[in-house]
Amino acid sequence: MKKEYCGLFGVYDHEEAARMTYFGLYAMQHRGQESAGIVTWDGDRIREQKGMGLVADVFNERHIGRELKGRIGMGHIRYSTTGASLLRNAQPFLIRHGDLRLAVAHNGNLVNTYELRCELEEQGSIFQTTMDTEVFVHLVIRNLNGNTIEEAIKLACKRLRGAYSMLIMANDKLIAVKDPNGFRPLAIGRLDDSYVFASETCAFDLIEAEYMRPLSPGEMVVIDGGRMSCDRICEPQPKKQCIFELIYFARPDSYVFGEVVYERRKEMGKVLAREAPVDADLVMPFPDSGNYAAVGYSQESGLPLELAMIRNHYVGRTFIQPTQGMRDFSVRVKLNPVRSMIQGKRIVIVEDSVVRGTTIRTRVKQLRALGAREIHMRVSCPPIKHPCYYGIDFSSKGELIAANHEVEDIARFLGLDSLHYLTIPGLLSSVSHKDDYCLACFDGNYPVKVEENAGKLSLEDSAAKPGIIKQFC
Amino acid sequence: MKKEYCGLFGVYDHEEAARMTYFGLYAMQHRGQESAGIVTWDGDRIREQKGMGLVADVFNERHIGRELKGRIGMGHIRYSTTGASLLRNAQPFLIRHGDLRLAVAHNGNLVNTYELRCELEEQGSIFQTTMDTEVFVHLVIRNLNGNTIEEAIKLACKRLRGAYSMLIMANDKLIAVKDPNGFRPLAIGRLDDSYVFASETCAFDLIEAEYMRPLSPGEMVVIDGGRMSCDRICEPQPKKQCIFELIYFARPDSYVFGEVVYERRKEMGKVLAREAPVDADLVMPFPDSGNYAAVGYSQESGLPLELAMIRNHYVGRTFIQPTQGMRDFSVRVKLNPVRSMIQGKRIVIVEDSVVRGTTIRTRVKQLRALGAREIHMRVSCPPIKHPCYYGIDFSSKGELIAANHEVEDIARFLGLDSLHYLTIPGLLSSVSHKDDYCLACFDGNYPVKVEENAGKLSLEDSAAKPGIIKQFC
Amino acid sequence: MKKEYCGLFGVYDHEEAARMTYFGLYAMQHRGQESAGIVTWDGDRIREQKGMGLVADVFNERHIGRELKGRIGMGHIRYSTTGASLLRNAQPFLIRHGDLRLAVAHNGNLVNTYELRCELEEQGSIFQTTMDTEVFVHLVIRNLNGNTIEEAIKLACKRLRGAYSMLIMANDKLIAVKDPNGFRPLAIGRLDDSYVFASETCAFDLIEAEYMRPLSPGEMVVIDGGRMSCDRICEPQPKKQCIFELIYFARPDSYVFGEVVYERRKEMGKVLAREAPVDADLVMPFPDSGNYAAVGYSQESGLPLELAMIRNHYVGRTFIQPTQGMRDFSVRVKLNPVRSMIQGKRIVIVEDSVVRGTTIRTRVKQLRALGAREIHMRVSCPPIKHPCYYGIDFSSKGELIAANHEVEDIARFLGLDSLHYLTIPGLLSSVSHKDDYCLACFDGNYPVKVEENAGKLSLEDSAAKPGIIKQFC
Amino acid sequence: MKKEYCGLFGVYDHEEAARMTYFGLYAMQHRGQESAGIVTWDGDRIREQKGMGLVADVFNERHIGRELKGRIGMGHIRYSTTGASLLRNAQPFLIRHGDLRLAVAHNGNLVNTYELRCELEEQGSIFQTTMDTEVFVHLVIRNLNGNTIEEAIKLACKRLRGAYSMLIMANDKLIAVKDPNGFRPLAIGRLDDSYVFASETCAFDLIEAEYMRPLSPGEMVVIDGGRMSCDRICEPQPKKQCIFELIYFARPDSYVFGEVVYERRKEMGKVLAREAPVDADLVMPFPDSGNYAAVGYSQESGLPLELAMIRNHYVGRTFIQPTQGMRDFSVRVKLNPVRSMIQGKRIVIVEDSVVRGTTIRTRVKQLRALGAREIHMRVSCPPIKHPCYYGIDFSSKGELIAANHEVEDIARFLGLDSLHYLTIPGLLSSVSHKDDYCLACFDGNYPVKVEENAGKLSLEDSAAKPGIIKQFC
């Protein structure tokens, strides 16, 4: 599964604002490896540095220590795609309008972009990118007319539909906004006298900031002159948090939506053990995706946990081509099973998700070849049957194996003796507030209506650059 | 002196449009080393690739052979600055508006940008860069309303004041425009059945295209479906071509404004020999800047030409620091005099221009140290006393040595036995049409009025990025 | 602890000899990250490619697919050091003598190099490196006189004292030798009709070769014209295999000395649980070093295993400097604890070794700060009290915390509630053949006498290049 | 023509020995672009840094400012080859023998290497490279036996036949040696209280050292403790200096063999004008190879000198592939003629040498296409008919066009109206001491007998690495 989220970080009134932002992004690198950007307010102007690649590659000491001056900073990381690189789409998105300098970092996906864009173009707007964020910025500017920037943002947000957690730097103010359903995470913390924002709290841990709380859905937090004020962009609406953060995306050491990710994953494994026990010799994950649910499954079932798939820690992005005879090489090079732990054994594999299934199929075949007696798989989420329009890329429905096939068919395709997906009720029993989550990818009930032309602009781009998957960031 | 121009290249209806554009830019690399960009129209969309650095570094075979598909292409190179790199300002500038894809490559500098920008912001425009080009694009879009793109461009041009040679790709049309005074060069040629445009004809030579003619001032050439049509954006106005192209910037093998650069430079040297003869042993240039005027001076005066300053062909951008004792190292490392040609000799040095004079002063001191008996300098242009607002960066008036000092003072500062600058009449007698040139940097007569806030936006940026000089491209 | 071994790989009579060697080294990258080299015999000559860095960085498709021609190949990887890079010392070591081309790849450390070298210098030998291998090669050549290469190698080996597993390419022969005590691993396998050699069997797994057996101590295997013959370089002596391969160095999915590394590590954890049980809430490793012993400890003790230290998968070699206030940053950035799993808990940490203890101390302090109630550590090897002269770098005795301190002192230094090291008998009960291992680092009984000047040459070099630790590869 | 020499530089007792060496090599980069190396004596040990590529790429401030400590330094640059890179063959060559550390940098080619090597191998020597230098070092060590290093070097030199200028660092001594015929240049100079050595005096100019004199053939200069002593390695023999240094290789601003290169080249052009006058419109070089002879030809003949071939200053090593239709692209991209200076003109081209002639042929064709009326070529050296065994690579006799063809045939092949090569007497009349030069490449009279197997070792290597031409450095 592709990692499709983005990561946001902001800091207000810190001597080393750029450096803190750098490390905040660094801790959240798993949320986006395509591009990274940092902006700071130097008291007079916004300074920026953006580039393609990992945080450690995009920024150097000259950027952080000299050029990105100022006590207010914010940054953005974007997911990895295959295909052509698009620096043009890297964030934060920056514009100037008269004396106002505005930078926006956005996580999530709007579902009425096309409609808004057409409307704005009719009013003379010109677009240089295909990003949702550019549409939002035009809305803000058009609402500025006599309004404060805070009011303009609120008016602009009223026009948006979909998922957005945003950080906005407007000259010397730093503003955080979450959409009314709260699809995407965003937390606030303190670092001595400074305020900090981050998509995940692992960013706070690295810079030794203290986690305060998640933003509420529909909340707008403004930091201005060191004072924090909280406001709402709309009436309260039902929470529709993305449960995939808990299942898969977030780092297990983070708090997300107020939940401890590690514990939720372990709990999913425990429920799975109750829902679908097996008489087997051992439980094991394919590291690291199933690790924490496997711990839970083992503890609940009493079956021993084995870490019997060994990772090659030196697998990088490039190596020379294997020979044609070396089948499934790219899968095998990453993980190698411990032969003696497999041979003659009845094995339960715990995984956190199945998207296309091809990698799993190869691994199962390999275990069979080493003499595994039985192979059972337990998946710590329900079957993904519907695309996500709020920011996760399951690519397209055609590639979602569960959208088109029954569980028995999938088990047969994967070569398994048995296969069980966590049920929706089981999943909800693993989290603290079962009504607060969006389940659209499982049940197709989309909490926010999606415009007909959703993804049209993005798709156009992806057609232009073959190999790029949909860009919902 | 900094090289401050840009270079434009365009090709219409060629199987290898991107490749031809690449080589066109490659041949004109002397016109801009900061960034390079190429766009193509693939029949459906504009494709782009831009980057910081030289043409050979920005593009690879994947870009040219695979990604930049299509039969229409255009490109842009931008001059080199010191300091922070600004990919944001690389051209061609690209926007989308409804079904229209518009790319603009611009050479020159407008003098009413600030005023236009304020007006557009009041109408809701948002600016992401400080480039003149972005202002022009907004004007085009606002004039589209029911008009054809050609009409919209003409209406937009009517609002512009200053210097601009532009190439515009508007979906499948390629349009070339020159401002009413024709400050900057732009030529049209043929390559088999294709039309090509370039700032200098050396680009045509490399791809074996045939030079047809320069665009006329105020001319708009539209290539559409393989047919070329010519139009005017305004009534004819007096030509005010930049004579610095002939003196300094253009490659000597190019035609510029219909002139053969090599011959004009040689002619300037000949006039110089008549204006200011010397009783000396030899004539020599500091290669390569004075080479061609020195040839002319030698031929007219009968004094032998010597190539007695030897270039180190391996001087690159980086080397380790010399010791403090190695004074003037960066000047000396590039050129080393042949000692025996200097000792006891009376030398005439021919140079094409003097801006700050510090490098020349160092070289003169070095020649004295080697025992030169007399050193006379002949400069193949008049003293530069005024800043250029139309696209050349003489930095600021403060740095123009001739703006603040008499010739005798300069001679004394440089350590010369005599110094003569080509007179304005002498210069004009060296070119074919003496009334067709802008002489503002010599005499301060600005043919197009400059707004009070000229350079304000650019200056703001340059303050933000210390070390960047004014950006007039 | 530094990783100090090297890795060897060889293949005889394979169409893609260089490619197989590349992947063999790639699988064993954990055995050496400083440099990598591959040589092949092209039927006429030895071809070579060596470089500093990881296998994936040193070789490209041109090297593997074109330049390293031939059906016989062998390669070497060397451990990582800090400080200056020494391509000069990269292996395989290659010489020519008349028509003989000789390449040697060596894992281990001799203890009479200085003496041999002085003797050879008196006979006119010249040394270009400080490697043991160069000494060996001189001995081989001096013994060639009328002898076959196999005899010359045997005669040379009789002069060596210490640890050596070697692969030798002598024109079209490939020869593997293990020292009489068998300190270092080396295994033989088959890949279709080809013979393969590797330090660890994980190399065989990646290329889908079949593991046959380890070389015996004192054995010499010669592959010549496709035929394998086995010989001995001396009378049988007691096995003295390096137990640290099992404790720490080898990949857990490898067979080493005929043992399954994964199972031995788990067994050490089980013995540890019996030797030193604790009343606690959970067992956890600091990944990945203590992972497998922790699995064993958990299974034997019944305490739940938690994977509560989360790794940042994107920590690379470089990042910008943290602020001075961010203490212990380099330790913290790699692993972050899951707060809720630590707070109020009684924790057993299982580690595989303690060298200087400073990193562990930092981690323990961090767990205390998060509210751990009790922290107990169980180490799956006995205290390391003596330096190793046979190829492992524990740096120097001064840095071995256990060499100078009692266990209680160490526990206090590390901030632990209790600390237990696996006993020597406990360790031996974890392996299959308890008499076959060298225990010198634990008990100081060196099975092969070490010359007085041992390390003298290496030390000289390390003085010359500050920051390089002793080189025993 | 390939540039086949090497460059040597040494400095004794200077606070910034490595830095001075760096700049000395930097100034002589034209003598070798394949690899560069610097060694220093730090009072205790020799430190070294070598690498493939240009001086500016191989060394950084850390190398020069920190690692290459010491007051004695020397360096070497090696010519560029196509094909695989051979760091193994980079110099200075460095060995240790007991307490002696010996580094040798060599320019030239021995002609009895094979014989010496066989003899040394019989005595037990082992060779790790194919360099002449390694043979020399073995000879030195074998002659050390009770002798001083100076005596050992003299004894070793007595065994050598061929061309060698060498710098030798033997612990804290710096020794320079030139072969008895003085084939290759080497000069001595002073830099304040330090002694310096360099192949060409342009190296002295850059570091502001003072040129003293060239070493005499057969001279050995020893710098020890700041004192210089001069000795001879043999009885005086006739000077056989390489006249190609004056014709082609050396920088025109250098003194070589006591001659001013610039003046000798101009003189060759003058003689050429007397030997073969033409009734023409202009003289021009193909820059920069024929520049200085063209100046002489113009001055002697009275024909105007034009610099009508314009160089693209941004042509680097890489650009994307042209289309198939763009014939002779790689030749055309470097130089573009000024069309109006060619059309209808009778042109004399002055070149310094013709090797294969293919590039010249392309350029002549291009000039014809632009309408040149007549094209005459004057070459400032006699026809090269024989290979050089003393250090210049004219590749092989097969590629020397003049070895196999009459002048009229060559003229026809090149497409010229007339062609004249400078005669041997004409060439000798251009230099100061006509009896002091080796003319073997013109007349086949080899002053030092060449062994039958000359080049055998090198050829073997070049077979092994396809694309590498013979290595005579």
Side-chain angles (χ1 to χ4, degrees), chain B residues 48-104:
Chain B
E48 70 167 324
Q49 176 64 26
K50 296 192 285 196
M52 302 308 292
L54 300 180
V55 172
D57 298 331
V58 168
F59 306 100
N60 56 37
E61 182 58 38
R62 183 171 54 81
H63 300 134
I64 300 300
R66 269 214 329 255
E67 294 175 5
L68 292 166
K69 277 187 188 149
R71 299 183 64 89
I72 311 175
M74 70 183 216
H76 185 270
I77 42 178
R78 204 176 156 82
Y79 65 93
S80 167
T81 63
T82 56
S85 56
L86 288 169
L87 186 50
R88 169 182 289 272
N89 285 341
Q91 293 208 353
F93 186 82
L94 179 58
I95 64 114
R96 51 187 76 201
H97 185 78
D99 292 333
L100 175 65
R101 300 291 178 276
L102 201 68
V104 180

Side-chain angles (χ1 to χ4, degrees), chain B residues 98-114:
Chain B
D99 292 333
L100 175 65
R101 300 291 178 276
L102 201 68
V104 180
H106 176 202
N107 178 14
N109 193 56
L110 304 182
V111 295
N112 63 335
T113 311
Y114 187 77

Side-chain angles (χ1 to χ4, degrees), chain A residues 316-333:
Chain A
R317 260 176 282 188
T318 54
F319 42 78
I320 62 161
Q321 285 303 303
T323 61
Q324 290 205 329
M326 297 165 89
R327 278 156 308 145
D328 305 321
F329 182 83
S330 63
V331 170
R332 287 192 300 109
V333 72

Side-chain angles (χ1 to χ4, degrees), chain D residues 80-146:
Chain D
S80 167
T81 62
T82 56
S85 55
L86 289 169
L87 188 51
R88 170 182 287 271
N89 286 340
Q91 294 208 353
F93 186 82
L94 180 59
I95 64 113
R96 51 187 75 201
H97 185 78
D99 291 333
L100 175 66
R101 299 290 179 277
L102 201 69
V104 180
H106 176 202
N107 178 14
N109 192 56
L110 304 183
V111 295
N112 63 335
T113 311
Y114 187 76
E115 168 197 322
L116 291 171
R117 190 161 164 148
C118 293
E119 179 189 320
L120 285 160
E121 285 190 343
E122 273 167 36
Q123 294 167 36
S125 284
I126 294 173
F127 292 92
Q128 297 183 33
T129 74
T130 52
M131 287 191 285
D132 292 358
T133 319
E134 192 173 11
V135 172
F136 171 70
V137 167
H138 278 267
L139 287 173
V140 172
I141 297 300
R142 290 193 180 274
N143 281 302
L144 256 185
N145 212 353

Side-chain angles (χ1 to χ4, degrees), chain A residues 9 21 36 94 100 104 119 133 136 145 154 157 175 184 257 321 334 343 345 378 386 464 467:
Chain A
F9 184 90
T21 306
L94 179 59
L100 175 66
V104 180
E119 178 188 321
T133 319
F136 170 71
N145 211 354
K154 279 168 73 172
C157 285
I175 299 166
R184 304 269 150 254
F257 308 128
Q321 285 303 303
K334 285 175 204 143
Q343 195 166 13
K345 297 285 170 43
R378 297 298 175 260
H386 306 274

